[in-house]
Amino acid sequence: MADAALRLTALAQELLGEPLPVRIRAWDGSESGPPDAPALVVRNRRALRRLLWKPGELGLARAWVAGEIDIEGDLYEALDLIAGLIWDRGAEAKDSLHPVRDPKLRAAAKGLLQLAGPWPPPPPPPEEVRRRAGALHTKRRDKEAISHHYDVGNDFYELVLGPSMVYSCAYWEDDGNLEDAQRDKLDLVCRKLALKEGDRLLDVGCGWGSMAIHAARDYGARVTGVTLSTEQAAFARKRIAEEGLTDRIEIRVQDYRDVRDGPYDAISSIGMAEHVGSVRYREYADDLYALLKPGGRLLNHQIARRPEKDETAYHVDEFIDAYVFPDGELAPLGRTVATLEEAGFEARDVESLREHYALTLRRWVANLEKHWDLAVKMTSPGRARVWRLYMAASALSFEHNKIGVNQILAVRPAQDGSARMPLRARDWKASATG
């Protein structure tokens, strides 16, 4: 008798203490749960062995990447329901789901073991990062982490990001065209930096060169872009040559800590600081401060998390750390502003773009789904599944205010304390004075 789904539903409800809001479809063809709800499809019982070996997020992630579990129906609805049932229950509830302490949960674990099949668990999917031992955020380790995420094929990124090749949130006026919204974001950054003809701009984490091209072509800036990704750099240089801007833009494969040719009139750091890490963030702030001329502006565009009641309890999301951004860390907005000011910057403006990122991510997911077969061919089924899950889940996190993204405009004050900014700068149309 095919009853795996019924048994899984009963075990899950025993573990969670409430009914499952999703259907379960098991490898034996059985189904159980609300008929109109999205389905969690368990394609292979290897997924259960992964969960028993690594309970929680990492076990689920491995099963998802390996294609052993899937979602049938609305992905966003399913993730919302599952997150509300498991991840959003709070630390105390999560801690209480500990089979060693609770006889009821031990019995449920034994039931899973019976369904799971022969031991041991399968190895992690090949897409999981193979991390170098040692200290976090050394130059070598950071380069390897960046390569894991970005050196997976420029053609794949073009499918997801679209022609703009901008890998950060767009700036939406309405629910319009992604390319227009990305152009508007780049233009917003240039206006906040008050770029003008001949200004030297350092673009930290320059990606595929979109910001550098916009600043040079539309504002006449002379741009140095630095990235740790060799594939990004090659793509950016090709685009720059096609635009006829090689005399205005230099792209380097270089760590920001090794840039020594300041001072610059302005610095943009868009979606890069998440890679810096808490142990290096003050060094990052100090380095950028030293590279700016007095009166120069920094635009720091960075994802932020909500503050923890106990900041020592913060830990990096296991799925993101293992499959997406190895060693990446998020900081609360207040901590980031404080660190920049401790380095000598004056924070002049903070703008939240949280809802903008949710809209952007949903467009990227739609691009990936539209070109799914080609994306799989360009990378791997597992890599494509990583991206679909992380982008969809991130969109929901932005929508529900679990995380945010902010543009911090900071100035290195002149020796007399002047910020060299107009009295009313919020429309970002006035040029810097002095």
Side-chain angles (χ1 to χ4, degrees):
M1 179 180 175
D3 65 350
L6 188 62
R7 293 173 66 187
L8 284 172
T9 299
L11 288 168
Q13 292 180 177
E14 185 76 7
L15 285 165
L16 297 168
E18 58 184 284
L20 277 179
V22 296
R23 284 183 296 139
I24 289 184
R25 179 180 301 145
W27 60 91
D28 62 356
S30 61
E31 285 194 34
S32 176
D36 297 328
L40 175 63
V41 182
V42 186
R43 300 192 186 281
N44 195 298
R45 59 182 182 166
R46 283 193 301 268
L48 306 184
R49 297 204 292 276
R50 293 189 192 277
L51 283 169
L52 286 165
W53 182 250
K54 286 288 184 184
E57 190 169 340
L58 187 56
L60 283 169
R62 287 174 173 174
W64 172 271
V65 175
E68 296 157 1
I69 61 172
D70 206 346
I71 298 292
E72 185 177 287
D74 189 293
L75 177 63
Y76 296 101
E77 181 186 359
L79 291 175
D80 241 353
L81 291 169
I82 293 170
L85 191 65
I86 301 174
W87 290 285
D88 294 345
R89 291 164 66 92
E92 292 181 5
K94 292 177 190 176
D95 193 51
S96 70
L97 297 179
H98 200 299
V100 174
R101 301 176 193 154
D102 191 328
K104 178 179 67 175
L105 300 183
R106 286 204 301 271
K110 288 180 181 178
L112 279 176
L113 187 58
Q114 291 172 355
L115 278 172
W119 210 249
E127 291 81 9
E128 188 166 313
V129 67
R130 302 297 185 261
R131 209 181 308 273
R132 178 181 298 276
L136 289 173
H137 300 294
T138 62
K139 292 178 183 178
R140 182 174 182 179
R141 181 158 169 160
D142 279 354
K143 186 173 178 61
E144 291 173 351
I146 293 298
S147 178
H148 171 85
H149 186 76
Y150 292 103
D151 292 342
V152 298
N154 294 323
D155 291 342
F156 173 77
Y157 277 97
E158 274 195 286
L159 285 183
V160 175
L161 304 180
S164 69
M165 289 299 280
V166 179
Y167 188 33
S168 54
C169 80
Y171 190 59
W172 300 88
E173 185 172 350
D174 51 36
D175 192 21
N177 180 276
L178 174 62
E179 306 314 314
D180 290 344
Q182 289 291 16
R183 182 203 61 228
D184 289 348
K185 191 275 298 299
L186 297 176
D187 205 63
L188 177 68
V189 172
C190 290
R191 285 185 280 122
K192 286 183 176 182
L193 291 172
L195 291 180
K196 59 185 184 298
E197 183 76 31
D199 278 354
R200 293 191 73 209
L201 170 68
L202 174 64
D203 188 26
V204 180
C206 65
W208 293 273
S210 300
M211 175 63 192
I213 290 170
H214 190 86
R217 182 188 60 212
D218 292 10
Y219 286 82
R222 293 175 294 133
V223 187
T224 300
V226 296
T227 176
L228 294 178
S229 168
T230 55
E231 289 197 22
Q232 282 186 334
F235 189 92
R237 289 166 183 153
K238 182 174 182 292
R239 291 178 73 194
I240 290 161
E242 290 170 351
E243 289 276 352
L245 294 170
T246 53
D247 61 328
R248 285 187 171 272
I249 304 172
E250 178 189 8
I251 300 296
R252 305 173 186 167
V253 178
Q254 185 178 36
D255 193 291
Y256 73 93
R257 288 166 283 194
D258 294 329
V259 178
R260 294 288 181 268
D261 60 345
Y264 286 86
D265 298 287
I267 298 176
S268 54
S269 178
I270 306 173
M272 176 271 176
E274 298 88 340
H275 296 288
V276 170
S278 58
V279 297
R280 296 285 185 186
Y281 205 90
R282 176 57 191 273
E283 179 183 359
Y284 163 83
D286 287 340
D287 284 350
L288 299 193
Y289 183 86
L291 286 165
L292 266 179
K293 73 174 188 180
R297 300 184 188 184
L298 163 69
L299 192 288
N300 190 81
H301 177 118
Q302 182 176 345
I303 297 173
R305 61 177 170 84
R306 303 295 298 166
E308 300 277 356
K309 290 182 180 179
D310 175 12
E311 278 294 314
T312 63
Y314 168 68
H315 67 277
V316 178
D317 179 284
E318 288 184 300
F319 167 62
I320 297 293
D321 191 45
Y323 288 97
V324 185
F325 293 111
D327 299 338
E329 295 179 51
L330 301 182
L333 171 61
R335 181 64 252 164
T336 299
V337 172
T339 304
L340 290 172
E341 294 211 312
E342 287 162 6
F345 284 103
E346 179 187 9
R348 297 292 305 208
D349 185 80
V350 176
E351 182 175 5
S352 173
L353 303 179
R354 177 169 64 82
E355 294 87 354
H356 295 260
Y357 218 155
L359 287 170
T360 306
L361 283 156
R362 283 180 177 263
R363 293 301 179 90
W364 290 345
V365 172
N367 285 346
L368 176 61
E369 291 175 341
K370 180 180 178 181
H371 302 290
W372 183 260
D373 291 342
L374 186 54
V376 167
K377 183 178 179 180
M378 287 177 170
T379 54
S380 69
R383 181 72 64 187
R385 291 174 65 80
V386 166
W387 273 71
R388 183 169 181 246
L389 178 61
Y390 117 76
M391 292 192 300
S394 296
L396 291 171
S397 292
F398 282 108
E399 289 169 359
H400 297 330
N401 196 22
K402 304 296 183 184
I403 55 176
V405 62
N406 306 281
Q407 288 191 350
I408 303 169
L409 179 65
V411 176
R412 174 175 174 166
Q415 194 168 15
D416 63 359
S418 169
R420 298 180 181 173
M421 293 188 68
L423 290 176
R424 295 185 179 185
R426 206 55 168 84
D427 62 4
W428 308 119
K429 293 177 183 177
S431 298
T433 58

